[in-house]
Amino acid sequence: QVQLAESGGGLVQPGGSLRLSCKVYGTMFRIGVAGWYRQVPGKERDLVASIDSDGATNYADSVKGRFIISRDNARNTLYLQMNSLKPEDTAVYYCNLKYNFRRDYDYWGQGTQVTVSS
């Protein structure tokens, strides 16, 4: 069984920075595609950034140049460095892990609130 636990959310002023972490409990982290999604009330959960097992990254246009996704396979941890934060970045951020081992698996964390406000 795989479990994901996010941390690092909070309140930050516009222009500030935060780093989210996602600890993955389980043995499949290194083979999976890991990602960060975000959701605001009344809207769908959207992809923010993802990173595959080879380290290739993908970003939503709205965060390119401001956010950096990374992974530490030795620590089974996914990170999201968020810089130049804007009020529209306010959302609940979720960690996700997808991998295939005889079948497809898809796991989510519980979410962490990020609020950008003065």
Side-chain angles (χ1 to χ4, degrees):
Q1 183 69 15
V2 174
Q3 292 185 327
L4 287 68
E6 301 100 335
S7 62
L11 174 64
V12 63
Q13 292 187 343
S17 297
L18 278 177
R19 188 175 84 152
L20 304 183
S21 299
C22 174
K23 176 71 174 179
V24 179
Y25 297 91
T27 59
M28 296 299 184
F29 177 67
R30 64 180 61 245
I31 72 168
V33 177
W36 290 97
Y37 291 72
R38 65 187 181 188
Q39 188 172 26
V40 297
K43 294 193 175 182
E44 292 185 352
R45 191 173 297 185
D46 293 325
L47 176 68
V48 175
S50 64
I51 182 167
D52 68 15
S53 57
D54 294 323
T57 58
N58 178 51
Y59 294 92
D61 288 343
S62 59
V63 306
K64 282 181 182 176
R66 300 189 298 123
F67 291 11
I68 301 171
I69 189 171
S70 61
R71 64 192 297 166
D72 185 337
N73 288 338
R75 290 181 168 82
N76 269 26
T77 303
L78 177 71
Y79 302 100
L80 184 68
Q81 178 66 43
M82 303 186 294
N83 302 319
S84 302
L85 282 160
K86 305 175 181 180
E88 51 264 44
D89 294 317
T90 296
V92 177
Y93 284 71
Y94 295 90
C95 175
N96 174 262
L97 179 67
K98 295 179 175 57
Y99 65 89
N100 180 279
F101 185 72
R102 299 190 180 125
R103 67 173 179 88
D104 290 335
Y105 291 86
D106 192 355
Y107 294 100
W108 293 90
Q110 80 286 355
T112 185
Q113 177 70 47
V114 172
T115 302
V116 184
S117 175
S118 55

